[in-house]
């Protein structure tokens, strides 16, 4: 048994993706959603140690807490300061990894193949676990500067302090010349377009080759992506990122390659 833990969790498409691969691979397992409130998360993980769970994907709001509970931490999870994958080992130890960053880069490679991470600065809206994973993966891929805009400015500052001088919190809405320089804009909040516009970003100043990415995948074509596409910008959706992080998660949980299925079409039909 494996699963995904979050609060709430009913929106998650991870069970559909992972169970489709489990079935196609002929693995005798099941992947289930666990709805666990923040105050119960540590007790839930403690109770699962040494039990039937192979491991868990972790989603909001538990990614930072998950990191703190692990005995072993991958370089990716340490760099991100957040874990989206916990693996339970037979010796009772728990290891933490972060595959969100890999998922993000895979999604850009699939849907914005001309995007070069090292070509220029990137804006990330949000400063939670997903923003951390994205920022550290982009830094590792050579992005020279990442600017962070968040509703709670202190959280953006904390993220910048963890990830180093190439990450800059924006304390005021950016001027148009700053916006024009961005190679990509990534929404890493559940709020979509509202988050960007309420934070004062005027995306109409983006350059014609900027890529707009939204981590939200329900709806798939968010207002942010629709607006960008209407202006002729290349867009990357959250479902491609979800699939991109799910593949390495499947390998880690079940010790097998995810079978080659049209998992995207399947998820869209879910
Ligand atoms: N597609 C994928 O594979 C994938 C992977 C990971 C995450 N995601 C999605 O990415 C989003 C963020 O996930 P997370 O794990 O980073 O969550 P999180 O740790 O809870 O962080 C949430 C972030 O969103 C901001 N936020 C929340 N509501 C907002 C609003 N109404 N207006 C402006 N900002 C708001 C928060 O700002 P404050 O700090 O001010 O509260 C914070 O920066 C979620 O929608 C999640 O489903 C998708």
């Amino acid at each position: 048994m494996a699963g995904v833990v979050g609060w709430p969790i009913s929106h998650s498409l991870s069970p559909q993706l992972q169970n489709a691969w489990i079935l196609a691979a002929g693995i005798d397992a099941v992947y289930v959603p666990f709805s666990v409130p923040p105050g119960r998360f540590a007790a839930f993980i403690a109770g699962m140690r040494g039990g039937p769970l192979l491991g868990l994907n972790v989603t909001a709001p538990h990614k930072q807490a998950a990191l703190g509970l692990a005995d072993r931490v991958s370089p990716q999870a340490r760099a991100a300061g957040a874990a989206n994958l916990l693996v339970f080992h037979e010796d009772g130890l728990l290891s933490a990894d972060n595959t969100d960053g890999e998922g993000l880069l895979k999604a850009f490679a699939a849907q914005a193949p001309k995007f070069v991470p090292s070509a220029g600065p990137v804006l990330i809206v949000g400063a939670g676990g997903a923003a951390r994973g994205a920022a550290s993966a982009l830094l590792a891929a050579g992005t020279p500067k990442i600017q962070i805009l968040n509703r709670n400015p202190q959280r953006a500052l904390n993220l910048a302090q963890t990830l180093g001088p190439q990450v800059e919190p924006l304390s005021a809405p950016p001027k148009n010349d700053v916006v024009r320089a961005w190679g990509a804009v990534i929404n890493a909040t559940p709020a979509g377009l509202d988050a960007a516009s309420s934070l004062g970003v005027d995306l109409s100043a983006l350059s014609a080759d900027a890529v707009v990415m939204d981590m939200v995948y329900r709806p798939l074509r968010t207002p942010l992506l629709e607006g960008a596409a209407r202006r002729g910008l290349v867009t990357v959706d959250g479902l491609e990122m979800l699939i991109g992080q799910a593949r390495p998660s499947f390998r880690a949980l079940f010790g097998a390659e995810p079978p080659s299925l049209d998992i995207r079409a399947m998820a869209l039909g879910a």
Side-chain angles (χ1 to χ4, degrees), residues 79-158:
N84 76 324
L85 176 63
L86 291 173
V87 175
F88 293 92
H89 299 281
E90 282 174 10
D91 57 7
L93 294 183
L94 184 60
S95 61
D97 198 358
N98 192 315
T99 64
D100 276 342
E102 180 178 345
L104 179 96
L105 295 178
K106 288 265 160 60
F108 270 81
Q111 296 188 335
K114 290 189 182 154
F115 172 74
V116 178
S118 58
V122 167
L123 173 76
I124 298 179
V125 181
R132 280 173 179 269
S136 60
L138 285 166
L139 286 179
T143 302
K145 180 155 77 170
I146 295 174
Q147 293 175 305
I148 306 282
L149 201 53
N150 194 47
R151 182 176 59 177
N152 173 352
Q154 184 58 43
R155 218 168 160 199
L157 191 63
N158 294 347

Side-chain angles (χ1 to χ4, degrees), residues 141-184:
T143 302
K145 180 155 77 170
I146 295 174
Q147 293 175 305
I148 306 282
L149 201 53
N150 194 47
R151 182 176 59 177
N152 173 352
Q154 184 58 43
R155 218 168 160 199
L157 191 63
N158 294 347
L159 195 159
Q161 281 168 347
T162 323
L163 294 182
Q166 285 165 279
V167 180
E168 181 190 22
L170 291 178
S171 51
K175 300 220 162 53
N176 279 358
D177 56 333
V178 174
V179 175
R180 220 171 283 122
W182 291 330

